[in-house]
Amino acid sequence: MSEGAKRVVSGIQPTGDLHLGNLLGAILRWVRMQDEVECLFFLADLHALTVDIDPAALRGQVREMAAALIASGIDPQKSVLFTHSAVPAHSELAWILQCTARVGWLNRMTQFKEKSGKSREGASVGLYTYPVLQAADILLYKATHVPVGDDQKQHIELARDIAIKFNTDFDVELFVPPEPFIGGGAAARVMSLRDGNVKMSKSDPSEMSRINLSDSDDMIAQKIRKAKTDPEPLPEDPELLAGRPEARNLLAIYAATTGASVEQVLARFAGQGFGAFKPALADTVVELIAPIRQRLQQLREDGEELDRILAAGAERARAMAAPTLAQARAALGLTRA
Ligand code: TYM
């Protein structure tokens, strides 16, 4: 990630609490990248509109998520931090790209299938087309790398396909096909504490399935103590974790949280049961989350300062987005080149 002209763009929906999956899969990786390359990070409030929302709550959630990102280490002096509805070019480019994307491509998006569930006919059109808005979010800034968890990979590949088709259809070299930039180990996909086969998610009805940034130290320890496991002791060889998804997940979380490899973690805990491992895991997770939670509590108190930070970020983002949108309009014959 260090050489060449690289630009990083990524976003997060400002709904629900930030959880350990978001932190390990995205945010803490963003924090590391902002020292290496130009980065833009945004709160995807337009994405939040794809399902039923409470407008008063949404306003608060945008500030809350901005505070959570800053508390986690996103520095608005280094990175451009903004709310995506404050940059109308996202919506305009999304419309343009809806005319490039094919229905067949969107039909393959697994997140729409998961999120619409049995009520597909009643889902909003926005829920269906939102991967195209996500493509606009990325292509608008000519991002080369998009740091995300594994669940977003298909959307980034769609953005690539849209970029290539637009460039080919209109014989331009305008959009940069982006690369998904997915972390290794647990960072790719942190799994639920209740079921090692499903990802940790804000939409899981069980609070015990995830660790939230707002959880107290005791709550974190309790959730880890109650996490589903098996009766076997921990093995020496990581290969022997196959078929033990819950054990693999907890080890991967320990490794990602401490920066160690799974091999190193196993070298320390091999032969021991979860009774010994879980308290050690709880300590590392608390050590990661407690200082972020404390900073979040302070940042929350000054909502106006958060608004100022986001407004300044949006101004920078608008200036960066304008040339790409102008080039797209010209390529389409909407304006003269
Ligand atoms: P969202 O808000 O669902 O998630 C934000 C980021 O957290 C990652 N993530 C995880 N990583 C590992 N394990 C997990 N259990 C886990 N759960 C969530 C997600 O992969 C993501 O990186 N559509 C996006 C937001 C978005 C976006 C974009 C992202 C809008 N426009 C443009 C990148 C580029 C979303 O709903 O993420």
Side-chain angles (χ1 to χ4, degrees):
M1 278 302 301
S2 50
E3 80 292 354
K6 289 183 174 161
R7 184 179 273 177
V8 163
V9 169
S10 203
I12 182 165
Q13 294 200 44
T15 42
D17 240 342
L18 201 125
H19 57 69
L20 190 64
N22 300 132
L23 263 184
L24 297 178
I27 319 301
L28 295 178
R29 300 175 54 234
W30 300 356
V31 170
R32 290 196 290 274
M33 283 173 202
Q34 54 180 0
D35 289 320
E36 294 171 21
V37 277
E38 185 174 34
C39 292
L40 293 97
F41 300 119
F42 59 89
L43 310 165
D45 57 347
L46 294 174
H47 280 186
L49 308 183
T50 56
V51 293
D52 291 342
I53 49 129
D54 168 0
L58 183 60
R59 268 192 293 277
Q61 281 166 340
V62 166
R63 275 184 175 176
E64 176 72 12
M65 190 58 85
L69 296 189
I70 297 169
S72 305
I74 297 296
D75 178 349
Q77 300 298 327
K78 292 183 191 159
S79 298
V80 183
L81 180 64
F82 63 104
T83 306
H84 98 327
S85 65
V87 185
H90 287 250
S91 305
E92 189 172 347
L93 186 62
W95 174 253
I96 289 174
L97 298 180
Q98 281 179 59
C99 301
T100 295
R102 305 289 96 180
V103 170
W105 299 357
L106 288 185
N107 284 345
R108 286 198 284 276
M109 296 296 117
T110 52
Q111 279 215 345
F112 175 71
K113 291 179 196 163
E114 281 160 22
K115 288 196 175 170
S116 59
K118 291 197 187 86
S119 60
R120 198 162 301 174
E121 292 290 309
S124 73
V125 176
L127 187 66
Y128 180 68
T129 61
Y130 114 93
V132 184
L133 174 60
Q134 183 161 350
D137 299 339
I138 298 165
L139 301 183
L140 196 52
Y141 302 102
K142 304 190 177 177
T144 53
H145 291 78
V146 187
V148 284
D150 187 59
D151 61 330
Q152 296 298 318
K153 187 167 176 229
Q154 198 185 32
H155 291 161
I156 315 304
E157 285 165 356
L158 177 80
R160 273 187 82 78
D161 291 343
I162 292 175
I164 293 167
K165 180 165 165 52
F166 186 100
N167 288 350
T168 311
D169 285 354
F170 302 104
D171 196 19
V172 287
E173 281 187 37
L174 172 55
F175 293 124
V176 176
E179 295 284 346
F181 192 65
I182 296 167
R189 192 174 274 261
V190 178
M191 308 309 273
S192 157
L193 298 181
R194 307 301 306 158
D195 178 352
N197 293 304
V198 303
K199 71 169 183 179
M200 185 177 284
S201 156
K202 320 178 203 203
S203 47
D204 193 315
S206 166
E207 270 298 317
M208 297 305 279
S209 70
R210 64 184 159 262
I211 292 172
N212 292 319
L213 197 53
S214 56
D215 287 343
S216 66
D217 295 354
D218 286 348
M219 179 58 80
I220 294 172
Q222 192 193 354
K223 285 180 176 178
I224 291 178
R225 203 164 50 242
K226 296 206 166 158
K228 188 178 166 200
T229 42
D230 57 46
E232 302 297 318
L234 290 168
E236 226 166 275
D237 179 358
E239 304 257 316
L240 296 174
L241 291 170
R244 298 176 67 186
E246 285 83 16
R248 202 177 50 207
N249 185 41
L250 295 187
L251 279 156
I253 292 175
Y254 190 103
T257 310
T258 56
S261 66
V262 171
E263 283 80 359
Q264 286 165 332
V265 184
L266 283 178
R268 183 169 156 206
F269 290 100
Q272 301 187 47
F274 287 97
F277 178 69
K278 281 179 167 179
L281 176 63
D283 286 348
T284 69
V285 175
V286 165
E287 215 171 290
L288 173 75
I289 289 194
I292 302 179
R293 187 182 60 226
Q294 277 152 19
R295 282 195 293 276
L296 173 61
Q297 274 154 7
Q298 285 162 4
L299 289 160
R300 252 188 211 137
E301 281 166 23
D302 196 349
E304 283 172 16
E305 173 61 9
L306 292 168
D307 289 348
R308 270 193 296 277
I309 290 171
L310 292 175
E315 201 176 319
R316 286 167 72 192
R318 279 193 294 269
M320 292 165 92
T324 315
L325 185 60
Q327 286 163 336
R329 291 174 60 101
L332 292 164
L334 295 171
T335 49
R336 291 187 188 282

